[in-house]
Amino acid sequence: MDIVTLSLFLLFAVVLSGVVSRLLPSALPRPLVQIALGAVIGGIAQIRVELDPEIFFLLFVPPLLFLDGWRIPKDELFRDAGAILGLALGLVFLTVLGMGLFIHWMIPAMPYAVAFALAAVVSPTDPIAVSAIAQKVPIPKRMMHILEGESLLNDASGLVCLRFAVAAALTGAFSLTNAGLTFVWMAVSGVGLGVAIAWGTITAKSLFARRFGDDSGSNILVSLLIPFAAYLVAEHVESSGVLAAAAAGIAMSFTNVSSGAKAATRIRRQAVWDMLQFTLNGIIFVLLGEQLPQVFAGARDTVMLTGHDSLWWLGLYVLAIVAGLGALRFAWTWVALRLTLFRQRGTPGRTSPPRRVITAMSVAGARGAITLAGALTLPLTLGDGTPFPARDLVIFLACGVILSSLVIASLTLPLLLRGLALPVQDGMSELDHTRVAAAKAAIAELERLQHEMAEGRDDADQYVEIASRLMDGYRSRIDTLEGDIDPDAKRLEDVERRMRLAAIRAERRVVFELLNTRAIGSETAQRLGRELDLVDTRLSAQA
């Protein structure tokens, strides 16, 4: 009963964090608020959350990686593949190697394998904290896409490196050749299994739905089970479960096009996953805060592992690790951006990226949920039953890196991002071209349908009038997108959109007022409210 009550308090803290973060005038990201609330709960609660590493990893990591892969913009991922792969693979391997050696040199009492494990834990970045900052300080879209793509891939690569480091710590042996072959097997088989499971599940579900019918509840539940299935199957064959979950998410976005899911199902499924993402990320940061009192309470014993007796040494170690991570990221980002985003045609490498862009990309690499998940999944004991060496120290330093990186990002990103713009490609022209093509197809279908429906009828003129009125709307959209409309007309169109939004929101207020006075039933109110919400969403997206 106590653990249930504590779980409810943690969920309440997640909800409260959303309210508090919006009330704060500064750009303080929500994760910091969640950590603070978790620390309050940890300080006053009489019981502690005992985190089983394997269960914690299974419950939190697969769905988050799956959702990242599912929702990441695929065109942007492929367009900036060079920069993303450089940051997600090259930078991770450099961080694990460089920071592992640096940490062992700085803390000789920490074995090499454990030092590399800590380096692997702090290598993945977290876009959730940056997204929270972006709610108050706009981040250039292209930078956000690069950060999202980097986070998706470096989560997987960092956790795979962590697995090798933990294996070396448990066995006391490490072979670079075997590790390389194992990594190739884990990567190829993990990606293949993730894609196969996602594609097979969606295909089977679609075939069943066409023959026997379908419902939204089962469709949503299937999407929730896919990341766990991909992770468990991959782990069962000693492949990479994290890569399988991420690959399943990427495959989901492609297989989903032909899945035959209804529009209402897609809307509900998105809402469920939005809630799940908010909840899981929030619980992870609240749990971090809840663990902090216990972690700090054992800080004096932890510092003894380093050969010192002053608690200030732990703070210095955290700052040194953060500085090392920042220096490596700054150097690698400069190289990656110089060779990709800022390369001119015919003159590779001539254009250097501005220092403010490099600094912003470096600062945006805040650590978060995956770092904490990786630290907490370190085994409690070695194979012979002895405690895992320096486990508490690794968790303490990982927590310190998370807090420090979040604070640095929240303080410096608003200053660095003000007025910042990355080189952009003509992405809107592709979107506008698609909208024009869709509008022309709609006009052609309306012309065909009006003749078909009006054939042989005495009131054919009415069908022609209705079709003409609809086609005028599509022709106006085509003129606007192709630039054949004057600025005054565009301004008037924006005024019309704002008026329609105000009218729709007035309709919604009246609907719920009628519901509150019991003038209409809840079913009618929900149906009308849903229709108005869809139109409101569409008009708001045009802003």
Side-chain angles (χ1 to χ4, degrees):
M1 189 64 182
D2 289 339
I3 192 64
V4 174
T5 303
L6 181 59
S7 299
L8 294 176
F9 270 111
L10 294 177
L11 290 175
F12 177 72
V14 174
V15 176
L16 186 61
S17 67
V19 178
V20 174
S21 63
R22 291 183 179 275
L23 294 177
L24 294 175
S26 64
L28 188 67
R30 185 186 298 122
L32 283 178
V33 178
Q34 292 166 343
I35 292 172
L37 292 175
V40 172
I41 294 175
I44 63 177
Q46 299 298 321
I47 57 175
R48 299 291 180 193
V49 178
E50 297 294 336
L51 300 175
D52 183 281
E54 293 185 1
I55 295 178
F56 180 84
F57 202 84
L58 173 63
L59 291 179
F60 289 94
V61 174
L64 291 176
L65 289 180
F66 174 81
L67 187 59
D68 286 343
W70 188 359
R71 290 187 171 178
I72 187 172
K74 303 305 179 295
D75 292 339
E76 287 77 2
L77 179 64
F78 295 134
R79 181 188 64 188
D80 293 322
I84 292 173
L85 288 175
L87 292 169
L89 298 180
L91 180 56
V92 166
F93 295 143
L94 177 64
T95 299
V96 173
L97 178 60
M99 291 305 300
L101 295 173
F102 175 72
I103 291 171
H104 177 74
W105 170 82
M106 184 173 59
I107 312 175
M110 182 178 290
Y112 271 111
V114 180
F116 286 122
L118 175 57
V121 161
V122 298
S123 62
T125 56
D126 179 42
I128 302 301
V130 181
S131 299
I133 298 174
Q135 294 178 357
K136 300 181 179 181
V137 182
I139 294 180
K141 288 185 177 180
R142 193 170 187 185
M143 176 182 289
M144 199 64 205
H145 293 155
I146 293 175
L147 292 172
E148 290 172 344
E150 175 198 2
S151 175
L152 171 64
L153 297 181
N154 70 16
D155 286 348
S157 58
L159 292 174
V160 169
C161 291
L162 172 63
R163 179 171 177 173
F164 286 127
V166 171
L170 294 175
T171 62
F174 178 78
S175 170
L176 184 60
T177 302
N178 291 337
L181 294 176
T182 304
F183 181 82
V184 172
W185 155 253
M186 293 176 65
V188 174
S189 60
V191 171
L193 284 172
V195 172
I197 290 173
W199 181 85
T201 303
I202 295 300
T203 302
K205 189 74 172 65
S206 179
L207 293 175
F208 182 87
R210 291 192 185 102
R211 184 175 180 85
F212 301 104
D214 195 13
D215 64 278
S216 298
S218 63
N219 207 317
I220 295 171
L221 184 58
V222 166
S223 71
L224 292 174
L225 293 176
I226 288 177
F228 298 103
Y231 178 85
L232 291 173
V233 171
E235 289 295 317
H236 182 70
V237 299
E238 297 185 354
S239 180
S240 173
V242 293
L243 284 174
I250 295 176
M252 187 75 172
S253 61
F254 292 104
T255 58
N256 220 27
V257 175
S258 57
S259 64
K262 299 177 182 178
T265 298
R266 292 194 296 270
I267 293 174
R268 293 170 184 168
R269 184 173 58 197
Q270 180 177 352
V272 169
W273 275 101
D274 285 341
M275 181 274 296
L276 186 64
Q277 182 185 35
F278 175 79
T279 303
L280 291 181
N281 278 290
I283 288 178
I284 287 178
F285 285 109
V286 172
L287 280 176
L288 168 58
E290 193 272 340
Q291 299 288 308
L292 284 181
Q294 185 177 4
V295 172
F296 287 134
R300 185 167 298 279
D301 295 333
T302 301
V303 76
M304 298 299 294
L305 297 174
T306 67
H308 302 285
D309 57 1
S310 174
L311 296 179
W312 291 105
W313 281 99
L314 291 178
L316 292 176
Y317 289 148
V318 169
L319 293 178
I321 293 174
V322 171
L325 290 172
L328 285 177
R329 185 173 178 84
F330 185 91
W332 191 274
T333 301
W334 181 84
V335 175
L337 297 186
R338 180 180 175 86
L339 297 179
T340 53
L341 270 65
F342 291 84
R343 182 174 56 199
Q344 295 179 345
R345 290 186 179 180
T347 56
R350 265 187 59 183
T351 304
S352 297
R355 292 181 180 178
R356 194 154 66 100
V357 173
I358 302 174
T359 307
M361 287 289 293
S362 302
V363 171
R367 273 62 183 177
I370 298 299
T371 293
L372 178 62
L376 294 176
T377 53
L378 291 176
L380 300 175
T381 60
L382 298 176
D384 57 2
T386 59
F388 190 87
R391 184 178 189 272
D392 292 339
L393 178 59
V394 170
I395 295 176
F396 184 95
L397 295 178
C399 293
V401 170
I402 293 172
L403 291 172
S404 301
S405 62
L406 288 174
V407 170
I408 292 173
S410 63
L411 294 178
T412 59
L413 268 183
L415 300 176
L416 293 170
L417 293 176
R418 189 171 292 121
L420 178 64
L422 285 178
V424 296
Q425 296 182 354
D426 195 10
M428 287 301 296
S429 63
E430 180 181 352
L431 177 62
D432 292 344
H433 175 75
T434 304
R435 286 176 172 168
V436 168
K440 290 180 178 179
I443 291 174
E445 179 63 18
L446 286 172
E447 290 177 341
R448 182 197 67 78
L449 189 60
Q450 74 171 353
H451 293 302
E452 177 183 317
M453 298 178 68
E455 186 176 359
R457 297 185 62 92
D458 296 334
D459 55 351
D461 292 342
Q462 295 180 357
Y463 289 85
V464 174
E465 180 183 352
I466 294 173
S468 298
R469 186 166 64 249
L470 294 174
M471 286 188 285
D472 286 343
Y474 282 109
R475 291 192 180 100
S476 175
R477 180 189 301 178
I478 292 174
D479 291 341
T480 301
L481 294 174
E482 290 183 340
D484 295 334
I485 188 172
D486 58 70
D488 289 338
K490 288 185 178 180
R491 180 180 58 81
L492 293 177
E493 181 178 325
D494 181 65
V495 171
E496 179 183 351
R497 183 189 61 80
R498 293 172 60 185
M499 288 184 174
R500 292 184 64 187
L501 270 174
I504 288 171
R505 290 166 183 173
E507 288 185 66
R508 187 165 50 216
R509 286 195 300 271
V510 170
V511 168
F512 286 104
E513 287 174 1
L514 293 174
L515 174 63
N516 292 334
T517 58
R518 299 182 183 274
I520 60 175
S522 59
E523 183 177 355
T524 301
Q526 290 176 1
R527 181 173 180 179
L528 292 176
R530 188 64 176 173
E531 293 175 359
L532 294 171
D533 286 343
L534 292 174
V535 178
D536 191 324
T537 302
R538 178 175 60 84
L539 293 174
S540 298
Q542 296 175 2

